[in-house]
């Protein structure tokens, strides 16, 4: 019985062709060709003028926070339900992450909780579109405008999702993406920062070039302390090929999700999965099942059953506030983040997942639940 992974990249002939071309020819004069093309085409896909390719989403977020001059004494608000990558850059710049609760249905930032957390020190809101679900961008933008905050989208999990006619990651001061091997599309490792603000783009470009000013004729002359989170041309070649297939990759995620939803929500009354709000499209990066309260204590039995059946089983993100990273910060009250963490888990959803394999996943879940 073959193992079923929870995610796996889909690599076609085009990907191999572009990477081979980059490795053969992408040097000297051509050493930025795929990078420039990937940035241009990615920005165009989002409907934005600018994008900067990076070595990771974490690095892109670090650069963006620095470009906004966020630093010691400043606060940045984000959801307690998150992977550490969305919060770590706030620590890197010396600011304080303020964790707030999420909404019951979207598992993303609760705007009312954000509003309560705003203080004179607040500088930005990081809206993470969790598992493909869209954060409440309209309400968050109202709060950001009213209090003079930047709204940042961490769209690493929502490439391909659409919010009221706008691609996820095109509705904020800047957005960040990840091309880690588990994401909708991959460059192995890699990330992107996207924005419609030309001045912000120039800031992040300079910061990502070790602080060397564009056009400075002096050699080896940083005019400020910067970083180096660059994407290689080889990775960008892979990114160009994956981006050409993005609609196909997203469409398949949605097909996989539809099969799970149809069968699991019928078989498990009271369960829920990733929502898709009116006028929105969810790319369903990570199909996630939330068990009803009555079955919550069976969650770990289900995960055991999946592992026994050769299926990767991943729990929902645990509240960041419970991790040692946040031990020195004031305690927060995030009951929904804690509740969701106990009764939810992620389902396998890679491109080549067959319907037979999906059936094996569904059978293992129902067996574990004994429903
Ligand atoms: C994967 C992920 C990241 C981290 O991306 P890297 O490229 O590994 O740095 C950040 N935020 C979210 C929401 C993610 O899912």
């Amino acid at each position: 019985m073959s193992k079923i992974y929870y995610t796996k990249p889909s690599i076609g002939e085009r990907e191999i062709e572009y990477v081979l071309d980059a490795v053969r020819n992408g040097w000297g004069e051509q050493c930025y060709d795929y990078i420039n093309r990937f940035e241009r085409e990615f920005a165009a896909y989002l409907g934005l003028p600018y994008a900067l390719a990076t070595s990771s989403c974490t690095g892109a977020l670090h650069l963006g926070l620095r470009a906004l001059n966020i630093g010691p004494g400043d606060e940045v608000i984000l959801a307690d339900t998150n992977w550490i990558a969305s919060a770590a850059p706030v620590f890197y710049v010396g600011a304080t992450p303020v964790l707030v609760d999420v909404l019951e249905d979207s598992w993303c930032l609760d705007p009312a909780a954000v509003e309560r957390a705003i203080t004179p020190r607040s500088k930005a809101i990081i809206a993470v579109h969790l598992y493909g679900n869209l954060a409440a961008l309209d309400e968050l933008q109202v709060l950001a405008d009213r209090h003079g905050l930047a709204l940042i989208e961490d769209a690493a999990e929502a490439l391909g999702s659409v919010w009221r006619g706008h691609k996820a990651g095109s509705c904020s001061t800047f957005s960040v993406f990840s091309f880690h091997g588990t994401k909708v599309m991959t460059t192995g490792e890699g990330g992107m920062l996207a924005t419609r603000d030309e001045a912000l783009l120039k800031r992040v470009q300079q910061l990502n070039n070790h602080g060397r000013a564009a056009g400075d004729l002096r050699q080896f002359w940083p005019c400020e302390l910067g970083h180096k989170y660059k994407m290689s041309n080889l990775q960008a070649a892979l990114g160009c090929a994956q981006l050409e297939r993005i609609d196909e990759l997203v469409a398949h995620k949605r097909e996989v999700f539809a099969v799970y939803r149809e069968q699991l929500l019928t078989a498990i009354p009271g369960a829920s999965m990733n929502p898709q709000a009116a006028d929105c499209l969810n790319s369903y990066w990570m199909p996630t099942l939330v068990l009803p309260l009555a079955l919550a204590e069976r969650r770990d039995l289900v995960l055991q059953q999946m592992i026994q059946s050769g299926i990767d089983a991943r729990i929902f993100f645990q509240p960041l506030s419970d991790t040692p990273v946040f031990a020195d910060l004031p305690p927060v009250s995030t009951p929904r983040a804690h509740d969701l963490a106990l009764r939810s888990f992620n389902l396998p959803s890679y491109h080549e997942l067959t319907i037979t394999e999906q059936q094996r996943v569904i059978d293992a879940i129902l067996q574990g639940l004994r429903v």
Side-chain angles (χ1 to χ4, degrees), residues 228-348:
K228 189 160 180 269
Y229 294 126
K230 294 198 182 184
M231 177 179 281
S232 73
N233 199 56
L234 298 175
Q235 291 168 300
L238 187 49
C240 287
Q242 291 261 281
L243 190 59
E244 287 180 20
R245 295 177 54 214
I246 187 67
D247 291 341
E248 172 206 337
L249 295 174
V250 170
H252 195 253
K253 282 279 183 190
R254 289 173 55 79
E255 281 165 26
V256 167
F257 182 84
V259 170
Y260 282 135
R261 182 180 48 200
E262 160 84 30
Q263 293 205 37
L264 291 171
L265 296 192
T266 311
I268 315 167
S272 57
M273 295 187 70
N274 314 48
Q276 179 173 264
D279 306 329
C280 294
L281 183 137
N282 193 325
S283 67
Y284 297 124
W285 168 63
M286 185 71 73
T288 297
L289 184 65
V290 184
L291 295 174
L293 272 176
L295 291 174
E297 84 279 6
R298 290 203 162 267
R299 201 269 310 256
D300 292 343
L301 294 175
V302 174
L303 297 186
Q304 267 176 31
Q305 183 64 51
M306 289 171 75
I307 290 164
Q308 273 168 24
S309 311
I311 302 163
D312 255 351
R314 299 276 167 147
I315 58 169
F316 199 81
F317 289 130
Q318 315 191 54
L320 288 176
S321 59
D322 289 347
T323 67
V325 181
F326 285 82
D328 294 335
L329 289 173
V332 294
S333 169
T334 52
R336 283 188 220 117
H338 282 81
D339 169 49
L340 283 166
L342 288 178
R343 53 194 180 97
S344 316
F345 57 100
N346 305 139
L347 312 178

Side-chain angles (χ1 to χ4, degrees), residues 56-58 83 85-86 128 154 156-157 178-180 183 189-190 285:
S56 71
C57 176
T58 312
W83 173 228
S86 302
V128 180
D154 180 342
E157 303 182 1
S178 171
F179 309 120
H180 180 256
K183 303 294 158 86
E189 293 277 0
W285 168 63

Side-chain angles (χ1 to χ4, degrees), residues 56-131:
S56 71
C57 176
T58 312
L61 188 51
H62 189 185
L63 295 171
L65 292 175
R66 275 211 57 194
L68 295 177
N69 292 316
I70 292 172
D74 296 336
E75 293 174 353
V76 176
I77 301 169
L78 74 162
D80 200 7
T81 299
N82 262 315
W83 173 228
I84 188 64
S86 302
V90 181
F91 287 103
Y92 300 164
V93 298
T96 305
V98 176
L99 301 174
V100 303
D101 214 351
V102 294
L103 293 171
E104 175 84 46
D105 55 348
S106 71
W107 324 325
C108 297
L109 274 176
D110 173 2
V114 172
E115 186 162 25
R116 286 193 296 274
I118 293 173
T119 74
R121 292 165 175 261
S122 307
K123 285 284 152 49
I125 301 167
I126 301 178
V128 180
H129 300 304
L130 209 78
Y131 299 137

